[in-house]
Short mmCIF file of all heavy atoms in Angstrom, two decimals:
data_model
loop_
_atom_site.label_atom_id
_atom_site.label_comp_id
_atom_site.label_asym_id
_atom_site.label_seq_id
_atom_site.Cartn_x
_atom_site.Cartn_y
_atom_site.Cartn_z
N THR A 1063 113.42 240.25 212.62
CA THR A 1063 114.59 240.92 212.04
C THR A 1063 114.24 242.38 211.79
O THR A 1063 114.62 243.26 212.55
CB THR A 1063 115.05 240.23 210.74
OG1 THR A 1063 113.92 240.10 209.85
CG2 THR A 1063 115.59 238.84 211.03
N VAL A 1064 113.46 242.61 210.74
CA VAL A 1064 113.07 243.98 210.40
C VAL A 1064 112.18 244.59 211.49
O VAL A 1064 112.33 245.77 211.83
CB VAL A 1064 112.34 244.00 209.03
CG1 VAL A 1064 111.89 245.42 208.68
CG2 VAL A 1064 113.23 243.44 207.94
N GLY A 1065 111.24 243.79 212.03
CA GLY A 1065 110.34 244.29 213.06
C GLY A 1065 111.08 244.77 214.30
O GLY A 1065 110.78 245.84 214.83
N ILE A 1066 112.06 243.99 214.75
CA ILE A 1066 112.87 244.38 215.91
C ILE A 1066 113.67 245.64 215.61
O ILE A 1066 113.76 246.56 216.43
CB ILE A 1066 113.81 243.23 216.31
CG1 ILE A 1066 113.02 242.07 216.93
CG2 ILE A 1066 114.88 243.72 217.27
CD1 ILE A 1066 112.43 242.39 218.28
N LYS A 1067 114.21 245.71 214.41
CA LYS A 1067 115.01 246.88 214.01
C LYS A 1067 114.16 248.14 214.01
O LYS A 1067 114.57 249.21 214.48
CB LYS A 1067 115.61 246.63 212.63
CG LYS A 1067 116.50 247.76 212.13
CD LYS A 1067 117.75 247.88 212.95
CE LYS A 1067 118.69 248.94 212.38
NZ LYS A 1067 119.90 249.11 213.22
N LEU A 1068 112.92 248.05 213.48
CA LEU A 1068 112.07 249.23 213.38
C LEU A 1068 111.56 249.70 214.74
O LEU A 1068 111.47 250.90 214.99
CB LEU A 1068 110.87 248.93 212.47
CG LEU A 1068 111.17 248.79 210.97
CD1 LEU A 1068 109.93 248.36 210.21
CD2 LEU A 1068 111.70 250.11 210.40
N THR A 1069 111.20 248.77 215.60
CA THR A 1069 110.58 249.15 216.88
C THR A 1069 111.58 249.46 217.98
O THR A 1069 111.24 250.14 218.95
CB THR A 1069 109.64 248.04 217.39
OG1 THR A 1069 110.35 246.78 217.43
CG2 THR A 1069 108.44 247.89 216.47
N SER A 1070 112.82 248.98 217.84
CA SER A 1070 113.78 249.21 218.92
C SER A 1070 115.16 249.65 218.45
O SER A 1070 115.93 250.21 219.23
CB SER A 1070 113.95 247.91 219.74
OG SER A 1070 114.57 246.90 218.96
N GLY A 1071 115.49 249.38 217.20
CA GLY A 1071 116.83 249.71 216.71
C GLY A 1071 117.88 248.71 217.14
O GLY A 1071 119.08 248.90 216.87
N GLU A 1072 117.46 247.63 217.80
CA GLU A 1072 118.41 246.63 218.29
C GLU A 1072 118.94 245.77 217.13
O GLU A 1072 118.29 245.62 216.10
CB GLU A 1072 117.74 245.70 219.31
CG GLU A 1072 117.33 246.38 220.59
CD GLU A 1072 116.67 245.41 221.55
OE1 GLU A 1072 116.58 244.22 221.22
OE2 GLU A 1072 116.24 245.86 222.62
N ARG A 1073 120.11 245.23 217.32
CA ARG A 1073 120.64 244.27 216.36
C ARG A 1073 119.87 242.94 216.48
O ARG A 1073 119.43 242.57 217.55
CB ARG A 1073 122.13 244.01 216.62
CG ARG A 1073 123.00 245.22 216.30
CD ARG A 1073 124.46 244.85 216.48
NE ARG A 1073 125.32 245.97 216.12
CZ ARG A 1073 126.66 245.90 216.16
NH1 ARG A 1073 127.27 244.78 216.56
NH2 ARG A 1073 127.37 246.96 215.80
N PHE A 1074 119.79 242.27 215.36
CA PHE A 1074 119.04 241.01 215.34
C PHE A 1074 119.81 239.90 216.02
O PHE A 1074 121.01 239.77 215.85
CB PHE A 1074 118.72 240.62 213.89
CG PHE A 1074 118.17 239.24 213.76
CD1 PHE A 1074 116.95 238.91 214.33
CD2 PHE A 1074 118.88 238.25 213.10
CE1 PHE A 1074 116.43 237.63 214.22
CE2 PHE A 1074 118.36 236.98 212.97
CZ PHE A 1074 117.15 236.68 213.53
N ASN A 1075 119.07 239.11 216.79
CA ASN A 1075 119.62 237.93 217.45
C ASN A 1075 118.85 236.72 216.93
O ASN A 1075 117.64 236.63 217.08
CB ASN A 1075 119.46 238.05 218.97
CG ASN A 1075 120.13 236.91 219.71
OD1 ASN A 1075 120.39 235.85 219.15
ND2 ASN A 1075 120.43 237.13 220.98
N TRP A 1076 119.57 235.76 216.33
CA TRP A 1076 118.91 234.59 215.74
C TRP A 1076 118.09 233.80 216.76
O TRP A 1076 117.13 233.13 216.40
CB TRP A 1076 119.94 233.68 215.07
CG TRP A 1076 120.42 234.19 213.77
CD1 TRP A 1076 121.59 234.85 213.52
CD2 TRP A 1076 119.73 234.14 212.52
NE1 TRP A 1076 121.67 235.21 212.20
CE2 TRP A 1076 120.55 234.77 211.55
CE3 TRP A 1076 118.50 233.61 212.12
CZ2 TRP A 1076 120.17 234.90 210.22
CZ3 TRP A 1076 118.14 233.72 210.78
CH2 TRP A 1076 118.95 234.37 209.86
N HIS A 1077 118.46 233.89 218.02
CA HIS A 1077 117.73 233.16 219.05
C HIS A 1077 116.28 233.63 219.17
O HIS A 1077 115.41 232.90 219.63
CB HIS A 1077 118.43 233.30 220.41
CG HIS A 1077 119.77 232.64 220.47
ND1 HIS A 1077 119.94 231.28 220.37
CD2 HIS A 1077 121.02 233.16 220.58
CE1 HIS A 1077 121.23 230.98 220.45
NE2 HIS A 1077 121.90 232.10 220.58
N LYS A 1078 116.01 234.88 218.74
CA LYS A 1078 114.66 235.41 218.84
C LYS A 1078 113.71 234.77 217.84
O LYS A 1078 112.48 234.92 217.96
CB LYS A 1078 114.68 236.93 218.65
CG LYS A 1078 115.36 237.66 219.81
CD LYS A 1078 115.29 239.16 219.67
CE LYS A 1078 115.93 239.85 220.87
NZ LYS A 1078 115.89 241.32 220.77
N LEU A 1079 114.27 234.08 216.85
CA LEU A 1079 113.42 233.36 215.89
C LEU A 1079 112.79 232.13 216.53
O LEU A 1079 111.80 231.59 216.02
CB LEU A 1079 114.22 232.94 214.65
CG LEU A 1079 114.44 234.01 213.59
CD1 LEU A 1079 115.32 233.45 212.48
CD2 LEU A 1079 113.13 234.51 213.03
N ILE A 1080 113.37 231.67 217.63
CA ILE A 1080 112.84 230.49 218.31
C ILE A 1080 111.76 230.96 219.29
O ILE A 1080 112.04 231.48 220.36
CB ILE A 1080 113.94 229.72 219.06
CG1 ILE A 1080 115.05 229.32 218.09
CG2 ILE A 1080 113.36 228.49 219.75
CD1 ILE A 1080 116.24 228.65 218.76
N SER A 1081 110.52 230.80 218.88
CA SER A 1081 109.37 231.19 219.70
C SER A 1081 108.36 230.05 219.68
O SER A 1081 108.46 229.14 218.85
CB SER A 1081 108.73 232.47 219.13
OG SER A 1081 108.14 232.20 217.87
N PRO A 1082 107.38 230.07 220.58
CA PRO A 1082 106.36 229.01 220.57
C PRO A 1082 105.69 228.87 219.20
O PRO A 1082 105.40 227.75 218.75
CB PRO A 1082 105.38 229.46 221.65
CG PRO A 1082 106.23 230.22 222.61
CD PRO A 1082 107.22 230.95 221.76
N ALA A 1083 105.44 229.99 218.52
CA ALA A 1083 104.77 229.94 217.22
C ALA A 1083 105.65 229.28 216.16
O ALA A 1083 105.18 228.41 215.41
CB ALA A 1083 104.37 231.34 216.77
N THR A 1084 106.92 229.67 216.10
CA THR A 1084 107.80 229.09 215.10
C THR A 1084 108.09 227.62 215.38
O THR A 1084 108.23 226.81 214.47
CB THR A 1084 109.13 229.87 215.01
OG1 THR A 1084 109.74 229.92 216.31
CG2 THR A 1084 108.89 231.27 214.50
N VAL A 1085 108.15 227.26 216.67
CA VAL A 1085 108.33 225.85 217.04
C VAL A 1085 107.12 225.05 216.60
O VAL A 1085 107.25 223.93 216.07
CB VAL A 1085 108.56 225.71 218.56
CG1 VAL A 1085 108.49 224.24 218.97
CG2 VAL A 1085 109.91 226.29 218.95
N GLY A 1086 105.91 225.61 216.79
CA GLY A 1086 104.69 224.92 216.35
C GLY A 1086 104.66 224.70 214.86
O GLY A 1086 104.29 223.63 214.37
N ILE A 1087 105.09 225.72 214.09
CA ILE A 1087 105.14 225.59 212.64
C ILE A 1087 106.14 224.52 212.22
O ILE A 1087 105.82 223.62 211.42
CB ILE A 1087 105.53 226.93 211.98
CG1 ILE A 1087 104.44 227.98 212.21
CG2 ILE A 1087 105.79 226.77 210.49
CD1 ILE A 1087 104.84 229.38 211.82
N ALA A 1088 107.36 224.60 212.76
CA ALA A 1088 108.40 223.66 212.39
C ALA A 1088 108.03 222.22 212.75
O ALA A 1088 108.24 221.29 211.95
CB ALA A 1088 109.72 224.04 213.08
N LEU A 1089 107.46 222.02 213.93
CA LEU A 1089 107.09 220.68 214.38
C LEU A 1089 105.98 220.09 213.51
O LEU A 1089 106.03 218.92 213.13
CB LEU A 1089 106.65 220.72 215.84
CG LEU A 1089 106.40 219.37 216.52
CD1 LEU A 1089 107.63 218.49 216.44
CD2 LEU A 1089 105.98 219.56 217.97
#
C-alpha cells in the first residue's frame, strides 16, 4: 500500500497483497 505509493505513485490494488509470502503466512 504505502510502499507502492512511495516508489511509484500508483493507486493500491488489493490483488497485490496476494503474493507467495503472504500465501505462506496465511496457510
Side-chain angles (χ1 to χ4, degrees):
T1063 52
V1064 179
I1066 289 291
K1067 182 67 176 177
L1068 289 174
T1069 53
S1070 67
E1072 294 180 2
R1073 291 184 177 182
F1074 170 64
N1075 185 339
W1076 284 101
H1077 294 294
K1078 291 184 178 180
L1079 279 177
I1080 303 175
S1081 67
T1084 55
V1085 169
I1087 294 169
L1089 187 57

